[in-house]
Structure formats: C-alpha cells, structure tokens
Amino acid sequence: MPLALKVYQAFDREPIAELPADDAAALERKLQAAAKAFADRDGWLPAHQRMSILRKASALLQENRDRFAMMIAREGGKPLTDAIIEVTRGIDGLVNAADELRNFGGKEIPMGLTAASANRWAFTTKEPIGVVAAISAFNHPLNLIIHQIAPAIAVGCPVIVKPAATTPISCIEIVKLFWEAGLDERWCQTLITEDNSLAEAFATDRRVAFLSFIGSAKVGWYLKSKLPPGTRCALEHGGAAPVIVDRSANVDAIVGTIVKGGYYHAGQVCVSAQRLFVHEDILDSFTEALATKVAALHVGDPKLAQTEVGPLILPREADRVTSWIKEATDAGTKQIGGGRMSETTLLPSVLLNPPTEAKVSMLEVFGPLTCVFGYRDLDDAIRIANSLPYAFQASVFSTDIAVALRAAKHLDASAVLVNDHTAFRTDWMPFAGRRQSGYGVGGIPWTMEEMAEDKMVVFNQVT
C-alpha cells in the first residue's frame, strides 16, 4: 500500500489533504538524479538562466500570493495578515537571490610579490558546492523553504528539500512554481516524509555536500555529528530571546512593538521576545501596559483577517506550553491572562518574575507567552540575559545612548536590536544563532556564500 502523509488545519484539526509520501526507493532516485545533474559540469546552468528562473518564480508567486497565504494560514496556523507578509517576503527574496548574482564572484590574488611568484596571474571563481539537502521547519512554511532553495538555485546547486511533516503543501507548491519557471526537476526536488530514519538517511548521505537544517537543536546537532567527512552544514535553531527595557524608555511608544515580537505567530518564532527585563522604576507601568495590549489581542481562526494570534501547530505543543506555565504558577508565579480556546489554541499570557530554574525562564517556550523580570542594575540584567547556553537575537529599548551602547556591546547575541523587537528580520541581513542556537550564517546572500566554494586559477607566463 503506498505511503501517505495526512495534512491538517492547525486551528481545528480538520483534514486538508492526503499526500503521497516518499520511501527509501524514492529518496535513492532523487539523490541519484541530483548527483548526476551536478556531476555533468557541461550541464550546469549559466548565471543568466538561474537569474531568469528566480525572477520568473517570483512573478509566479506574486500571481499566486493569496493562494499561498491562505495555505500558510491553514496548514501552519499563521494569521492571514502575517501569512500575506510571509508570501510578500518570499516574492522579494527570490528577486534578492537573482540580484545577488550580479556581485557574486571571485577576486584577483596578487602575484609577483616574491621572486618565486613572478610572471603569474591568479584569480578565484565561485563554484556550487554540490547537492544540498534542506530540512525545514513548520513555522514559516514558505519563506524558510525559499531561504534554503533560492540560494542553492542561485549558485547552481541541485537541492532536495524536506518540509516539516505538518506543513508540506507550501513547499510542494513553491517547488512546482520553480518547475513552471523553467527549472529542470533534477535541480529542485522535494522529499515528503514523516519517517525520521529516512530523513536522517537523507541528511547524512555521502552524496550530500551541504546540509541546511532549520528545526530543533537536539535534532540538528545530532545530524551534524553524523555527517560524512567533508560535508558542510548550516543549523538554525532557537533560543529564549532577551529584551532589556531601560527606565528611559517611553512605555506607551514601545509596548506595541514588544507585544508584536512576543506574540507574533503565537510565539512560534526562533527569535520571539520571551524574557523581558524591565527596570524597576517603570516595572509597574510597563506591566500594566503590556497586560492591556496582550488582553486586546484577537485570538482565533487564522483564516480570518482580524486574527492576530492563531493556534500552536499541534495539540501536544499546546499541552507542553500549558504544563510549563503550570510549573511556574505552582511555584508562586503570577500569571496575567492565559487559558485555552481550543485543542491547539492558547490565549496569550504574561508571567511575572518566574523562578530562574523554571522551564519558561530557561528554555524556548515557542508559545504565546512572555516573562517579565524586574531589574535595578543594567549589568545584572545583561548577565542573566547571557546566562543560557544559547544566544540568537536580543533587544534593548532605551532613549539613553549610553545604556543602548552598553547593552549592544555586552549582550551575547548575533544581533542586538535597539528600540525594536527581537523578531525583526530582513531577508538580506545575516541571521545566525550563537553557541547552541545554531551553526553557520543564514540570510539569502550569506547562504549563497555557504553553498559555494572558491576555486583559484593560476596562469604561469611561459616565455
């Protein structure tokens, strides 16, 4: 009997589709096709064709914007307004990858600096690294895929992408648009499976030159440990992003931005604002304003335009977040808001000063929750913010330049956002987790560099 993958709406668990799933034989066929395409160097697509395909795919995605946005809302649970923004970013990201090729090249290596190097001319060129295995996550089921496959297509790597089992349709449909744009199927394929053993075999196959993994740290670091010698990788995980709110901050002006950073996509974002360190001088006014904004968030069906907070991806995730909140409240932590709307949908909540050893203080919640901690000394807040074994993006809100600069210097983060939330991102900026939060650098131009290798050519003048 053929394998099948059932896809459900995140909000109400209603079935969307039953898709054919891949088995080991299908994986082997796809790896063979990709490896064969790469081995034929005469068949590599020239840059102008890759640019044309990326631009055509972008135009096709623009034509299908609303269809993709609705699918993201259905299978991923992201509110429709935010899903439209995700598709819009994807449209631009494809053009970004094409445009980057205008400046994607090598450089001259100086010769003649010693007698031994005289009469030589040397330069580097860029070559694709090889077959790319991309494993993606559910929370941005279109744009994360684009961040993995657009750089591969741009530099000329065959790519096979495995979407999250909960959100495969957006992936399948964007790959179809690439084919419609003129890309031979061998250069961009999907692997549809919920079989973890098959996914591991895919990621660690000797024919894979580069693994792009977005997902849990436990799985990502495990796969990295299993890679064959010579295989390169990039890992993107998460954290518990810290936000420092200085006493000079204008509470009314910033609270909406912080709420967006903490409750966007129900907190299912790897850099979601989670730990809010607020100066004691404004702690009460900030907490009151935060609670008011959070209580006003419209929670419900993500397909509706007015919805601001939708469901978690699975019932077990709602159960997990609920249990973590209970652990904190059982220890005496005050909770503002909260509750459960449905099997997968939690009402947003705020926890005030949970214990440092509580899961909500130590681990990535990935749910509609922020934790507020009061502080008196800035350096103490920074020390606690830096105390976890992972680090990604961080924020500081302040109108005092000295405070902003000190926080920017001392926060352990790959990016410090000043007067903006931790979830801010553009698709052309570097995006990377530190320590346990990741390995390598994301962002379309940066991933293109990771998926390419320099080759040096040296000419010796024969006289």
Side-chain angles (χ1 to χ4, degrees):
M1 183 177 179
L3 298 173
L5 179 66
K6 295 181 179 180
V7 185
Y8 300 89
Q9 291 192 151
F11 178 65
D12 56 14
R13 305 299 296 159
E14 285 295 314
I16 299 175
E18 187 168 317
L19 306 173
D22 291 309
D23 58 13
L27 172 59
E28 178 59 26
R29 288 193 300 272
K30 293 179 180 190
L31 283 167
Q32 283 186 11
K36 185 176 180 180
F38 182 73
D40 178 15
R41 288 182 171 243
D42 288 334
W44 287 4
L45 297 177
H48 70 87
Q49 286 189 18
R50 288 178 262 137
M51 292 174 71
S52 176
I53 287 167
L54 287 161
R55 291 184 185 280
K56 286 179 182 177
S58 176
L60 289 168
L61 184 56
Q62 176 70 62
E63 293 172 10
N64 288 272
R65 189 200 71 168
D66 292 346
R67 178 171 69 88
F68 271 86
M70 184 57 72
M71 184 51 62
I72 290 168
R74 293 184 69 197
E75 66 175 351
K78 179 177 286 188
L80 185 59
T81 301
D82 294 324
I84 291 171
I85 292 172
E86 178 174 345
V87 182
T88 302
R89 284 179 57 184
I91 293 164
D92 182 67
L94 294 171
V95 175
N96 182 193
D99 287 347
E100 189 64 22
L101 284 172
R102 295 185 180 277
N103 301 298
F104 192 73
K107 63 180 181 180
E108 183 178 356
I109 306 299
M111 289 288 132
L113 305 181
T114 62
S117 65
N119 300 315
R120 286 171 174 82
W121 175 44
F123 57 90
T124 62
T125 62
K126 294 285 188 183
E127 289 192 344
I129 190 172
V131 176
V132 171
I135 297 179
S136 206
F138 76 86
N139 53 331
H140 309 294
L142 175 68
N143 208 37
L144 291 181
I145 298 291
I146 286 175
H147 270 258
Q148 292 172 297
I149 64 177
I153 292 167
V155 303
C157 291
V159 58
I160 303 171
V161 58
K162 191 200 89 64
T166 48
T167 55
I169 301 176
S170 296
C171 174
I172 292 169
E173 292 301 311
I174 190 62
V175 169
K176 286 180 180 178
L177 289 192
F178 275 107
W179 297 345
E180 187 178 344
L183 185 66
D184 188 287
E185 292 185 18
R186 298 173 302 161
W187 291 91
C188 187
Q189 305 175 83
T190 59
L191 178 68
I192 306 301
T193 183
E194 53 186 345
D195 183 335
N196 292 335
S197 297
L198 189 64
E200 180 178 339
F202 164 56
T204 59
D205 189 275
R206 59 178 176 78
R207 289 162 291 190
V208 169
F210 189 89
L211 169 65
S212 171
F213 179 89
I214 303 174
S216 79
K218 179 180 178 180
V219 175
W221 290 108
Y222 169 78
L223 290 176
K224 182 178 183 295
S225 73
K226 297 294 183 180
L227 295 180
T231 302
R232 292 189 350 207
C233 72
L235 311 177
E236 184 182 308
H237 306 314
V243 177
I244 292 177
V245 183
D246 177 48
R247 62 184 168 186
S248 68
N250 182 329
V251 170
D252 291 336
I254 69 170
V255 69
T257 298
I258 293 175
V259 168
K260 183 64 177 179
Y263 298 90
Y264 163 65
H265 198 8
Q268 297 170 115
V269 180
C270 61
V271 286
S272 181
Q274 181 175 321
R275 297 178 296 150
L276 314 181
F277 300 93
V278 183
H279 196 281
E280 290 176 357
D281 287 357
I282 61 168
L283 180 59
D284 290 344
S285 61
F286 177 85
T287 302
E288 182 180 353
L290 178 68
T292 300
K293 283 281 188 183
V294 170
L297 290 170
H298 193 286
V299 184
D301 187 341
K303 301 191 300 297
L304 303 178
Q306 67 267 30
T307 298
E308 297 171 286
V309 178
L312 299 186
I313 190 64
L314 290 168
R316 68 168 180 263
E317 290 301 307
D319 293 341
R320 176 188 57 78
V321 174
T322 299
S323 71
W324 286 15
I325 292 172
K326 186 175 185 301
E327 177 198 48
T329 56
D330 285 349
T333 302
K334 181 180 178 181
Q335 179 183 6
I336 299 174
R340 194 160 185 165
M341 174 180 283
S342 73
E343 193 178 11
T344 55
T345 308
L346 300 181
L347 297 174
S349 61
V350 179
L351 293 180
L352 303 183
N353 201 32
T356 56
E357 67 276 10
K359 290 184 178 68
V360 295
S361 302
M362 298 177 63
L363 303 174
E364 182 179 36
V365 173
F366 230 57
L369 168 71
T370 57
C371 302
V372 177
F373 305 87
Y375 77 90
R376 172 59 56 183
D377 181 77
L378 175 63
D379 289 344
D380 284 343
I382 292 172
R383 176 182 54 80
I384 298 170
N386 291 344
S387 64
L388 301 182
Y390 30 77
F392 214 135
Q393 298 198 159
S395 290
V396 56
F397 287 83
S398 178
T399 58
D400 184 332
I401 189 65
V403 171
L405 288 174
R406 185 165 185 82
K409 179 179 180 180
H410 290 278
L411 281 167
D412 185 7
S414 59
V416 177
L417 291 303
V418 179
N419 294 324
D420 209 342
H421 61 70
T422 56
F424 172 80
R425 181 185 186 184
T426 67
D427 299 303
W428 58 88
M429 78 186 206
F431 191 70
R434 289 186 173 182
R435 293 186 277 147
Q436 293 184 24
S437 287
Y439 183 82
V441 183
I444 287 170
W446 310 85
T447 301
M448 288 172 62
E449 290 286 348
E450 297 243 329
M451 291 180 177
E453 294 184 304
D454 287 333
K455 173 185 280 185
M456 187 171 65
V457 179
V458 181
F459 280 85
N460 183 11
Q461 180 180 341
V462 179
T463 58

